[in-house]
Amino acid sequence: MNRIEQRFADLRGRGQKGLVIYIGAGDPDLEATRQLALAFDRAGVDVLELGVPFSDPLADGIVNQLAAQRGLESGTTPARVLETVSAIRRDSQVPLVLYIYFNLLHRVGVREFIAAAAKAGVDGLLVLDLPPEESENYEALMSEFGLCPIYLIAPTTPESRIAVIAPRARGFIYYVSREGVTGMQAKVSDTIGDMTSRIRTHSSLPIAVGFGISNAEQARQVAASAEAIVVGSAVVNRIAELGRSPELVPRVGGFVAELAAALRPG
Amino acid sequence: MPDDQGRFGQFGGRYVPETLWYPLQQLEAEYFRAQQDPEFQRELSYYLREFVGRPTPLYFAERLTKELGGAKIYLKREDLLHTGAHKINNALGQALIAKRMGKTRVIAETGAGQHGVATATVAAMFGLKCVIYMGAVDCERQALNVYRMKMLGADVVPVHAGQKTLKEAVNEAMRDWVTNVRSTHYILGTAYGAHPYPVMVRNFHRVIGDEARAQILEKEGRLPDLLLACVGGGSNAIGLFYPFLNDPTVKMCGVEAGGHGILPEQHAARFHGGSLGVLQGTRSYILQDEVGQIQLTHSVSAGLDYAAVGPEHAWLHDVGRVEYSYATDEEALGAFMKLARLEGIIPALESSHAVAECLKRAPKMSADSLIIVNLSGRGDKDVAQVAPKVGLEMPK
């Protein structure tokens, strides 16, 4: 059982909801990423998703695009992200997922990338533009190296396709709660409960719901129909505002702790 | 080709975020239904004839032929089409598909602005809402086309990300589509992207090659020896080449943008410095660095200034059916002026790359050989950019 599976099993045992946090790796630099990861672990984050900066992040809204740009400007390469993961692993066992575009795997070789990620201490990959139909031997390799392939399901995914995707996923299923790129929204979609119950007819994996959750109130709302919630842009925005300020880690860590508290009252 | 996964050998496919998978599957189904539907075909040919102005002439370039002293040169005059380039063949076809699917809004990316103008035109004609994404650098260097799109009622959104050219415009159009997929059809403008775009765009442009084949047989009683076309994504080239692919005596050459020469970030010649990768939905040759970040590109021609090439071209390259060369900015500008002065035709800077290749090859070929150059667009949009480069000034 890898760290993601173990964590969700523990959460289930305690009857708690999980908190998944997304940040762009290398924003503002990789040392900040390491410190943020450790702060999030202390704040009660269950899974940390690290966005690996890509030059053409076409599934991302402006907040994450700018984070990727800052990441690239600070010299963040996939290899250096893996070094940072190794550094995080010296102090923390927080489950880690890389959120990544396929070309970055394809370029070095899918097997080579997965092997290096596993060695560094990564627990799962979410490859934005690699649908299961294109995944070839990706899942076999992920399984060989003990990593969870995380798949997205969208509001436009019909039931017949949920049946294709769900059995291939490991760790958790990521339900994208709205049509669109990543980013914050004022109101939570009201079709979430309907979709998560449809996904449950095809899989017993935990479901994490994301894309647009920006505050504690929304976190509580969404958690009612899922095992975990994902918060990304709202955290990335705070990182963008604070940049290299000494307040970065305490302030962003504080915001994440509030989200965790909202999910686990008392 | 392609197979039912949209693959041309190891190229092509559908590498997209999950939100787009099912809409692409629906588009594929609707497109193949339309293709088999005589009513759709009738409507398409009606508009191609009455609105777009097909067929285009296959024009014997007599003075150019004489000047070069080799092969006999014919120009396929796509520049004479309504809106000024081949792009409208595909924009019209996809607008009809959008109507069939009940979409009320169309979006498109554009580089040189020709695809944007073609999309804005068919949107106006069919009463569809239209948004065009265009790199901010391209908006500046192709300002005439920005005005045309706006006059036709389209919203033109300048894209400020990255190097502010065609690739970033595609990213932004895809983000719009992911967000508005229920109401919106994305009229992708080249033979690139996720399945079914490469095959659909090719099929809407194959009319170029079908006409040229019949025309040359009528005029010369035989097939041509060489076809030349410029290749950005590769839509005009695949349109011309495709109907000739099974004619073994017909050689073909696609001409990429050599920019300032084949040095990193100075060109857009994917077959001369690119490698296998996955970008914007498809697997093909792309210009990338050693870790897989997409490299900057350069070309004087906005329509060829793109880091990837259509998957069918990648396949035709690898199986050796089509040769791919490049022309530099300087060679393209020379060809632009030469065609203007010798034939009274001002070609688009994109098409000038194909003309430049013709200038190199025709003199080495015998007088009884035949070349067809795809003159994919006219150069009105480029005159303001070219004038200072060739030392032309406004009379005082």
Side-chain angles (χ1 to χ4, degrees), chain A residues 223-235:
Chain A
S225 44
E227 280 73 30
I229 61 150
V230 186
V231 181
S233 300
V235 179

Side-chain angles (χ1 to χ4, degrees), chain B residues 39-252:
Chain B
E39 178 52 28
F40 176 82
Q41 292 302 337
R42 195 199 56 76
E43 202 180 3
L44 179 63
S45 359
Y46 168 80
Y47 285 114
L48 282 176
R49 187 178 66 242
E50 303 293 331
F51 183 71
V52 172
R54 299 212 75 92
T56 58
L58 183 70
Y59 178 68
F60 172 45
E62 197 175 346
R63 292 192 71 214
L64 183 65
T65 298
K66 209 169 281 172
E67 163 101 359
L68 297 176
K72 204 169 171 185
I73 299 159
Y74 281 91
L75 304 174
K76 182 59 176 161
R77 299 292 309 275
E78 294 297 293
D79 62 311
L80 293 177
L81 290 177
H82 180 40
T83 70
H86 74 291
K87 292 290 185 190
I88 191 142
N89 299 326
N90 166 57
L92 171 67
Q94 287 199 45
L96 289 172
I97 299 283
K99 267 181 49 186
R100 278 175 74 103
M101 296 181 81
K103 307 286 185 182
T104 54
R105 178 175 177 269
V106 291
I107 57 170
E109 84 295 343
T110 196
Q114 288 302 125
H115 176 60
V117 168
T119 301
T121 297
V122 294
M125 187 182 65
F126 291 126
L128 301 166
K129 270 187 238 149
C130 180
V131 178
I132 305 293
Y133 293 94
M134 187 169 186
V137 166
D138 292 339
C139 286
E140 220 163 281
R141 59 178 166 171
Q142 304 278 304
L144 175 76
N145 277 342
V146 177
Y147 287 123
R148 293 169 78 197
M149 290 182 264
K150 285 173 169 278
M151 282 171 191
L152 290 158
D155 284 334
V156 179
V157 181
V159 180
H160 293 278
Q163 74 174 97
K164 305 172 189 176
T165 58
L166 181 55
K167 175 170 65 73
E168 289 76 20
V170 173
N171 288 338
E172 212 49 44
M174 288 190 73
R175 290 182 187 116
D176 180 315
W177 201 35
V178 168
T179 309
N180 301 297
V181 68
R182 290 178 204 266
S183 68
T184 300
H185 174 64
Y186 176 18
I187 302 188
L188 184 63
T190 190
Y192 193 76
H195 182 56
Y197 281 106
V199 59
M200 177 170 69
V201 174
R202 175 195 77 197
N203 290 349
F204 284 134
H205 282 304
R206 65 167 290 168
V207 64
I208 304 170
D210 285 330
E211 282 177 12
R213 199 168 186 285
Q215 286 165 323
I216 197 87
L217 287 174
E218 193 195 314
K219 286 172 200 289
E220 296 284 346
R222 71 179 190 88
L223 291 170
D225 299 289
L226 179 63
L227 306 176
L228 295 173
C230 63
V231 180
S235 67
N236 87 83
I238 203 70
L240 176 66
F241 295 169
Y242 185 68
F244 292 93
L245 287 176
N246 294 322
D247 299 313
T249 61
V250 181
K251 291 199 172 71
M252 307 174 189

Side-chain angles (χ1 to χ4, degrees), chain A residues 114 131-133 135-144 147 149 151 165 167-169:
Chain A
I114 290 172
E133 288 83 351
S135 66
E136 295 175 23
N137 60 349
Y138 165 74
E139 281 153 21
L141 289 168
M142 290 290 280
S143 157
E144 181 183 335
L147 298 192
Y151 280 113
I165 297 174
R168 293 162 167 263

Side-chain angles (χ1 to χ4, degrees), chain A residues 56 60 134 161 179, chain B residues 7 14 18 167 175 182:
Chain A
D56 291 83
D60 284 294
E134 299 290 1
R161 210 175 134 66
E179 289 159 45
Chain B
R7 291 197 176 272
R14 188 180 279 164
E18 176 55 29
K167 175 170 65 73
R175 290 182 187 116
R182 290 178 204 266

Side-chain angles (χ1 to χ4, degrees), chain A residues 191-213:
Chain A
T191 58
I192 293 176
D194 179 44
M195 273 303 275
T196 51
S197 51
R198 240 186 287 175
I199 295 168
R200 281 184 218 293
T201 64
H202 298 278
S203 171
S204 55
L205 285 182
I207 300 171
V209 177
F211 272 45
I213 299 167

